[in-house]
Amino acid sequence: MVASAAACGVLLTTLTSCGDGGDTKKGAAAERPAAGKGSTKAPVKDLKRIPDVGDRLQSKIPAESRQVVAVYGEGKDSADSTVVLYTKSGSTWDKAASWKGHNGKKGWTPDHHENDNRSPVGVYTLSDAAGVLPDPGARLPYTQTASIQAPHYWAKSHWHDFDYVIAIDYNRVKGTPPNDPTRPQGQTKGGSIWLHMDHGSGTSACVSVSKEAMEKLLRTLDPKQHPVVVMGDRASLRA
């Protein structure tokens, strides 16, 4: 993982889990999310629970949550994933959108550590957003800042990774901008794990999707709906 030399200096710890610039290059019984390219509008389907997520992780979704971003990793050691937005209406979950995405370049782990290049399996709240670009109409608190600009010594394909980001509340202080370097569980447990824009391949631990997907998520995820991300490889999610 590479630290950025960009503007604010906070990137020394902030970008360590989001990209390294060195790599240029889907419970309950229900149909699996489509893995199409870009956003796909699926038929409305009422669901009593998030598909393909077993009791262990299902039970960790807060009762008040009415928005879930489910990240279905293709395999334990795969960097490919499908990201699905579910919204709750009454007592049922509806699939709102689905996108192709990426996760840690070495796959997934239930015990993430700094520099392992794997995304952490689990359920995490989503509370803060930021980006190099102006606020696109985010409902989450949004901080526009050049301090998270990807450095141009990274591969060109990575330069726009952090145009939009949503902090995944893993080893961070909720209610602070995504680039806050504070790690309550300690530095070795990793941190700065975000939803951010995709560069076409695996990340250092973050989850990445298209710009269209990030704009949709930023304009949809609402603190009043207590959004969370449920993420992991398919086997771990079903366990």
Side-chain angles (χ1 to χ4, degrees):
M1 301 185 188
V2 172
S4 166
C8 258
V10 298
L11 289 187
L12 185 60
T13 53
T14 299
L15 297 185
T16 54
S17 287
C18 282
D20 64 8
D23 185 2
T24 58
K25 307 239 167 254
K26 233 173 266 60
E31 69 177 22
R32 292 193 172 190
K37 192 174 183 179
S39 178
T40 59
K41 299 242 181 198
V44 174
K45 185 182 179 78
D46 286 342
L47 306 164
K48 294 297 182 182
R49 51 193 281 154
I50 304 301
D52 297 318
V53 176
D55 291 343
R56 182 178 64 87
L57 291 180
Q58 199 88 39
S59 66
K60 294 184 178 181
I61 300 174
E64 65 269 26
S65 292
R66 304 187 72 80
Q67 295 177 328
V68 168
V69 178
V71 183
Y72 298 94
E74 294 296 333
K76 180 182 177 182
D77 300 320
S78 173
D80 297 323
S81 54
T82 299
V83 179
V84 184
L85 173 62
Y86 293 100
T87 58
K88 198 170 190 179
S89 176
S91 61
T92 60
W93 291 97
D94 299 322
K95 184 196 292 186
S98 176
W99 306 276
K100 182 66 178 175
H102 291 95
N103 48 265
K105 64 186 68 175
K106 290 188 177 180
W108 297 89
T109 178
D111 186 23
H112 173 70
H113 283 79
E114 186 83 357
N115 298 319
D116 65 9
N117 289 322
R118 292 180 179 271
S119 297
V121 175
V123 177
Y124 307 100
T125 53
L126 300 170
S127 58
D128 300 278
V132 176
L133 297 179
D135 185 348
R139 296 189 176 192
L140 296 171
Y142 186 92
T143 303
Q144 183 183 5
T145 174
S147 72
I148 60 173
Q149 174 88 50
H152 282 197
Y153 59 78
W154 286 10
K156 189 173 181 178
S157 58
H158 293 62
W159 288 0
H160 296 284
D161 281 11
F162 314 128
D163 282 359
Y164 294 129
V165 307
I166 297 171
I168 293 172
D169 292 332
Y170 170 89
N171 197 16
R172 71 177 298 271
V173 178
K174 293 196 290 185
T176 62
N179 59 349
D180 185 324
T182 307
R183 296 184 176 182
Q185 298 176 57
Q187 191 72 18
T188 61
K189 286 294 290 180
S192 299
I193 297 177
W194 301 340
L195 285 161
H196 66 67
M197 284 172 48
D198 192 62
H199 53 249
S201 62
T203 70
S204 291
C206 296
V207 173
S208 60
V209 289
S210 66
K211 181 179 182 180
E212 176 189 18
M214 284 302 300
E215 289 176 338
K216 171 73 171 180
L217 290 171
L218 285 164
R219 292 167 181 162
T220 302
L221 297 178
D222 185 346
K224 295 178 181 178
Q225 304 302 317
H226 306 282
V228 299
V229 60
V230 181
M231 53 194 278
D233 57 283
R234 286 188 176 277
S236 295
L237 289 178
R238 287 192 297 264

